[in-house]
Amino acid sequence: MQALALPQSDPAAPTLPAVHARFTIVFMALNGYIDLRSDTLTVPTPAMREAMASAEVGDDVFGEDPTVNALQELAAERLGFEAALLVCSGTMGNLVALLTHCSGRGEEVIVGDQSHVYIYEGGGSAVVGGIHPRSIPNRLDGTLDLDDIRQAIRPKDAHYPETRLICLENTHNRMFGAALTPAYTQQVAELAHAHGLKLHIDGARIFNAAAALGVDVKALTRGADSVTFCLSKGLSAPMGSVLCGSREFIRLAHRRRKVLGGGLRQAGVIAAAGIVALEQMTDRLAEDHANARALAERTAQVEGLQVDLARVQTNMVYVDLRPELPLDAAEFCRRAAAHRVKMLPVAPRRIRAVTHCYVSREEVDEAAQVIAHVAARC
Ligand code: TLP
């Protein structure tokens, strides 16, 4: 007892605000960049660190972590579902969802050919679940054409995999951060259900979509059978995503999460940050969107660069290098990083810049200047 009490009563021990200040300094020292590579670069806010330090915890594998339970209840309520499950990451949330909706090997999920679940998740559902992805083209606004979906649904015939699920992504990462509307989501849900299929939404950034469209997030989940959203992107939590669905779906998903090694013990320390994320960080996302627009407008004026302004709806800016610019995206990003601005090359001549709460308007202006400078000097 005494050993435990000692550090707290030691006058030299840092107080909580001092600890936060030290963390901030460490962060700045490690990463003195305007880091636009992703909103995953956000670090926990002081309020999150405080909540994490004082979180009431228990063993969540026994269902006894009160903070995890509170986060799950809050998330389910916010997204309009009966129940929710904390998972380690967006990738794990999508995988658990697919494994829960598709119960047998050789079952099929219809996905966009530019979707995260299809491109960036290591083919996890095929690796772990024997699930067959059927990809159809994503349109520029992130949607899938309803006729394409209809035609992709397999007839009942022993030659084919069995279609079980349709997967949407909102906002759509590779499609410029596009926000899918409530009306579109509803149409896909109706189409799915009319064919006995389920609808899963990879809503890693669904709160960005809600902010961009000016709707309650529930309007974007209505009709879906499950939704994953991430706490660790624009909402700034250090880790974690939440899978939402019906009580029965979440009961089954809980087993899949365990199989994947995602049953955590005192996960309340993470859930505590997640609660702060939901309570404090969703209402400010419009600021990131305004910053992205400012960056896009400035960058669109730079000779040699191209930005489709009509596509900039949320916190993502995609910049294309025109053919006359004599360097590729990786080299462009290297040169910008030498001036303190980090961006992500996502194709040989395409760069992604993502705004978030650790990038101020002044820093966006500085980033725009650096981008113009690099383009002018090549
Ligand atoms: N996206 C990351 C990278 O993986 C590309 C990023 O920097 O944008 N769904 C969507 C739509 C995502 O954008 C991401 C992460 C995930 C799922 C996966 O989330 P995590 O990284 O938590 O597994």
Side-chain angles (χ1 to χ4, degrees):
M1 269 319 278
Q2 227 189 352
L4 273 178
L6 251 181
Q8 282 166 20
S9 56
D10 176 357
T15 60
L16 264 182
V19 169
H20 294 147
R22 204 182 61 208
F23 278 134
T24 309
I25 289 159
V26 169
F27 173 63
M28 293 308 291
L30 285 178
N31 185 357
Y33 289 93
I34 299 171
D35 204 331
L36 299 165
R37 286 173 298 165
S38 182
D39 46 9
T40 60
L41 271 305
T42 50
V43 298
T45 64
M48 286 177 187
R49 292 184 193 273
E50 216 159 293
M52 293 169 81
S54 60
E56 205 186 323
V57 294
D59 190 327
D60 184 48
V61 171
F62 287 94
E64 290 175 10
D65 188 306
T67 311
V68 171
N69 292 339
L71 169 65
Q72 291 176 166
E73 275 168 35
L74 176 63
E77 194 275 315
R78 283 287 292 274
L79 274 84
F81 286 94
E82 284 175 2
L85 187 68
L86 174 65
V87 290
C88 298
S89 64
T91 302
M92 183 184 268
N94 287 334
L95 180 54
V96 168
L98 267 61
L99 292 173
T100 308
H101 285 302
C102 304
S103 50
R105 299 176 73 80
E107 295 186 354
E108 195 165 71
V109 52
I110 296 174
V111 293
D113 65 353
Q114 298 301 314
S115 64
H116 197 278
V117 82
Y118 185 57
I119 294 187
Y120 290 128
E121 298 185 8
S125 62
V127 174
V128 182
I131 297 166
H132 192 252
R134 176 85 186 271
S135 71
I136 58 176
N138 270 116
R139 296 187 292 196
L140 289 176
D141 64 358
T143 61
L144 305 173
D145 181 84
L146 295 181
D147 280 334
D148 286 353
I149 297 178
R150 245 177 241 114
Q151 279 165 27
I153 298 171
R154 306 282 190 175
K156 297 239 171 302
D157 180 313
H159 289 85
Y160 302 123
E162 287 183 71
T163 315
R164 283 278 178 266
L165 181 68
I166 300 169
C167 200
L168 295 177
E169 184 174 315
N170 196 8
T171 64
H172 202 292
N173 184 340
R174 281 177 65 89
M175 294 288 99
F176 315 97
L180 273 50
T181 63
Y184 172 75
T185 307
Q186 197 66 45
Q187 282 179 319
V188 177
E190 280 164 20
L191 174 57
H193 298 153
H195 289 83
L197 311 179
K198 303 289 186 193
L199 170 63
H200 172 69
I201 299 178
D202 173 359
R205 298 183 180 84
I206 201 158
F207 285 99
N208 291 86
L213 298 169
V215 299
D216 187 284
V217 71
K218 283 193 190 79
L220 298 172
T221 63
R222 203 161 291 133
D225 298 284
S226 59
V227 176
T228 320
F229 73 93
C230 293
L231 299 163
S232 60
K233 301 194 165 56
L235 303 187
S236 205
M239 65 174 284
S241 293
V242 186
L243 174 62
C244 303
S246 68
R247 213 171 294 288
E248 176 59 7
F249 175 83
I250 293 299
R251 190 185 67 79
L252 296 170
H254 191 263
R255 284 188 74 83
R256 310 298 187 278
R257 184 187 71 172
K258 184 69 187 159
V259 168
L260 296 176
L264 300 175
R265 301 297 176 175
Q266 284 76 40
V269 288
I270 288 145
I275 291 172
V276 176
L278 279 176
E279 286 179 344
Q280 296 182 9
M281 301 303 285
T282 57
D283 286 350
R284 57 152 309 285
L285 291 171
E287 246 179 77
D288 300 339
H289 301 174
N291 282 342
R293 173 136 294 271
L295 181 65
E297 282 171 0
R298 298 270 302 268
T299 307
Q301 290 167 13
V302 175
E303 219 174 300
L305 302 180
Q306 188 172 6
V307 179
D308 189 344
L309 289 176
R311 303 263 159 239
V312 182
Q313 238 187 316
T314 59
N315 65 335
M316 297 199 177
V317 181
Y318 279 87
V319 182
D320 288 327
L321 308 187
R322 290 186 189 275
E324 64 269 21
L325 214 69
L327 81 183
D328 66 4
E331 180 55 24
F332 195 102
C333 290
R334 260 193 298 277
R335 292 190 192 180
H339 296 278
R340 210 172 87 83
V341 175
K342 284 194 181 181
M343 297 177 292
L344 202 64
V346 291
R349 300 193 68 79
R350 177 168 283 188
I351 292 167
R352 187 185 79 166
V354 185
T355 54
H356 50 76
C357 60
Y358 286 88
V359 182
S360 66
R361 174 55 70 94
E362 293 70 36
E363 287 173 320
V364 160
D365 291 342
E366 189 181 330
Q369 278 169 26
V370 167
I371 290 169
H373 172 84
V374 171
R377 288 213 169 21
C378 44

